[in-house]
Amino acid sequence: GKSWEREAHFEMFDSTQSLVLQQSIGIRIHGGASRAAPQKSLRLYAREEYGTSSFAYQFFNEKSNIQNFNTLILRSARDWSYVLFKDELCHSLVRDMDIDNMATATSVVFINGEYWGIHSFHEYQDENYIQQNHGYSSSDFDIITYQTELGVYADAGSMDAYTSFITFLETHSLEFDENYRKACSFVDVNNLIDFYIAQLYFSNSDFPKKNLKMWRESTQDTSKFRYLFFDCDGCMIRTNYNHIDNYNNDIEQLQFYPEWSQFILQSFMQNRTFRHLFTQRFYYHLQHTFRPDIVIERIEEFESLFLPLAAEHTLRWRL
């Protein structure tokens, strides 16, 4: 929280070694389990109290239209499988899907003049992220978070619309098309489908028990929930992991995840139209978005980018 934020001076140099940004900022440690690692992810805040209210720079080529940021993440490059770029890889693979992913940019960090290794700039998914990525002038959003220890709660706004959505699913079987059509008024179904396809394809073992968030613009009754895609440290590890079966089984003794984390997708799977859409969309992404040669080519692109940086990083952190 804010009490652990510290003032810092931030300087950024581009690939030509030109100084492109310098300002006073607030800095905090970012993340959960990664806090235990010596190289931590960092969250950077631009605030009026530090002199400048935004980072005025185009950090991300894939989102060149966004050139002002209130908050940024400098994400550490270490994950469970010790692949330096897996989170960035996953975000890049889904960027053409109907998914609210984070843009990323690789960097090398120094703290107080000391080499601190490879980090990647990430967008920070808060109200400003939603405004920037979806063109809202409003800053009124409901952001619903799922976490193992805490269950479901509102990160921003209220739980009212989410509670209405869940209550409808609990009291109406989506097997009936009329109920299914009504349920579709609560959530962006195309986003829901693409989001779960990505999580299932990546076999994200750190999901859905946590790292699960959804949002809606809260001033319009017709606003629909969408899912935020983030944190792929647990992706692409268990090559034989049957995430689809584990996620959809409804035998109480064989449940892998808290009921609240599975309920929405399982409810929609009751409907034949939804199952058809989901199956067809999954097949499309396997033939296009996640086609093996495309994925391998993207891996090789990141490998080329990280290879000149890896030796010094490894030496610094004794990976």
Side-chain angles (χ1 to χ4, degrees), residues 1 4-5 27-32 34-36 40-43:
W4 286 90
E5 186 173 314
I27 188 169
R28 303 183 196 176
I29 296 172
H30 173 82
S34 60
R35 293 168 180 263
K40 307 178 193 309
S41 295
L42 304 171
R43 198 182 304 173

Side-chain angles (χ1 to χ4, degrees), residues 76-94:
S76 64
R78 184 175 182 177
D79 68 57
W80 296 356
S81 55
Y82 302 97
V83 177
L84 295 179
F85 53 77
K86 187 170 61 182
D87 192 69
E88 291 75 17
L89 169 67
C90 292
H91 280 281
S92 74
L93 287 170
V94 305

Side-chain angles (χ1 to χ4, degrees), residues 97 194 197-198 200-202 244 278-295:
M97 299 173 69
D194 272 13
I197 287 172
L200 294 170
Y201 169 80
F202 292 136
I244 296 176
F278 192 92
T279 301
Q280 293 301 309
R281 190 69 176 162
F282 211 143
Y283 181 77
Y284 170 84
H285 284 304
L286 290 175
Q287 296 297 313
H288 296 84
T289 310
F290 301 130
R291 201 175 70 212
D293 62 307
I294 292 176
V295 176

Side-chain angles (χ1 to χ4, degrees), residues 6 17 39 55 99 102 111 115 124 126 150 163 165 196 199 230 242 285 297 306-307:
R6 298 292 183 266
Q17 301 182 28
Q39 188 203 29
F55 297 97
I99 283 180
M102 297 178 177
I111 297 180
Y115 174 79
Y124 181 60
D126 59 0
L150 302 174
T163 301
F165 179 29
Y196 277 102
Q199 297 287 3
F230 64 100
N242 191 339
H285 284 304
E297 181 180 0
F306 276 72
L307 187 60

Side-chain angles (χ1 to χ4, degrees), residues 144-153 159 162 165-166 169-170 196 206-214 227 247 255-267:
I144 308 301
T145 297
Y146 297 66
Q147 287 291 348
T148 306
E149 301 82 6
L150 302 174
V152 188
Y153 61 93
M159 293 284 290
Y162 175 82
F165 179 29
I166 297 301
L169 297 181
E170 289 174 338
Y196 277 102
D206 212 12
F207 170 91
K209 59 188 177 183
K210 60 179 181 176
N211 297 334
L212 180 56
K213 289 187 178 184
M214 56 201 308
Y227 286 87
Y247 199 93
Q255 291 297 312
F256 282 76
Y257 312 114
E259 181 181 1
W260 44 260
S261 69
Q262 302 172 268
F263 181 63
I264 293 176
L265 182 62
Q266 288 185 348
S267 297

Side-chain angles (χ1 to χ4, degrees), residues 56-91:
Y57 185 75
Q58 180 195 317
F59 283 83
F60 308 109
N61 291 333
E62 69 183 85
K63 297 183 180 180
S64 58
N65 59 309
I66 304 177
Q67 301 186 11
N68 282 278
F69 302 86
N70 292 344
T71 309
L72 292 163
I73 298 171
L74 269 176
R75 200 175 194 279
S76 64
R78 184 175 182 177
D79 68 57
W80 296 356
S81 55
Y82 302 97
V83 177
L84 295 179
F85 53 77
K86 187 170 61 182
D87 192 69
E88 291 75 17
L89 169 67
C90 292
H91 280 281

Side-chain angles (χ1 to χ4, degrees), residues 121-148:
F121 281 106
H122 281 50
E123 292 178 284
Y124 181 60
Q125 291 175 321
D126 59 0
E127 294 90 335
N128 182 250
Y129 168 92
I130 298 169
Q131 286 179 306
Q132 298 274 35
N133 280 266
H134 290 275
Y136 283 108
S137 56
S138 166
S139 59
D140 297 317
F141 303 102
D142 298 329
I143 301 178
I144 308 301
T145 297
Y146 297 66
Q147 287 291 348
T148 306

